[in-house]
Amino acid sequence: AAPQIGVGLRVFTYDVDGVSGHLVNPTFEPIGDEEQFGPEGCLSIPGLSWDCRRKRHVVARGWNMYGEPVTIEGSDTLARCIQHEIDHLDGVLFVDRLDPETRKRAMAEIRAAAWFGAPTPVVKVSPHPMHGKAR
């Protein structure tokens, strides 16, 4: 997701089981009520994962880099990825979706991680003009 790398755009890329692409300004809807429960991790929380409940099947809609509409239907891992990345664009980390007991354990493990409390990386902005393109 763009915000994870300091880019203030509502876009994410994905590469799951041979299916890859990107979505700009995405939304998603579940297909049916079936859920999945399994391990989930995140680049924002390196080296740690916990079981998280997600919808098993989703359809996501957005646009490609040319402004053309894109629809992606995913199940299992792709559905989890779509939900996870759109959560990032909405300012939600997957630990916010954990059940209370698991979230409490997750927060303790995060605080105990070697990287916890390390200085926040500095995001540098290009000194070159962008000529109206995304920053």
Side-chain angles (χ1 to χ4, degrees), residues 10-131:
R10 192 170 166 75
V11 61
F12 73 88
T13 62
Y14 59 93
D15 185 359
V16 177
D17 299 332
V19 178
S20 62
H22 64 276
L23 277 179
V24 177
N25 291 329
T27 60
F28 82 92
E29 299 171 11
I31 301 173
D33 294 329
E34 195 174 0
E35 293 183 332
Q36 57 176 312
F37 185 70
E40 193 164 326
C42 182
L43 292 173
S44 296
I45 307 170
L48 300 173
S49 66
W50 300 276
D51 286 344
C52 183
R53 189 171 310 283
R54 296 282 189 179
K55 294 297 183 179
R56 186 176 182 119
H57 309 283
V58 300
V59 61
R61 291 181 178 79
W63 289 264
N64 66 17
M65 70 178 101
Y66 305 106
E68 299 164 339
V70 175
T71 300
I72 302 161
E73 194 169 317
S75 296
D76 302 316
T77 306
L78 183 55
R80 182 177 295 279
C81 170
I82 289 167
Q83 293 167 86
H84 179 104
E85 298 305 331
I86 291 177
D87 270 356
H88 273 302
L89 302 180
D90 293 337
V92 176
L93 287 177
F94 84 99
V95 292
D96 299 324
R97 301 224 179 260
L98 301 175
D99 64 75
E101 183 179 316
T102 304
R103 187 173 194 286
K104 184 176 181 179
R105 190 177 75 244
M107 297 309 292
E109 290 178 37
I110 289 168
R111 285 188 294 275
W115 47 260
F116 184 77
T120 303
V122 175
V123 176
K124 296 185 178 180
V125 177
S126 172
H128 305 287
M130 299 301 288
H131 304 291

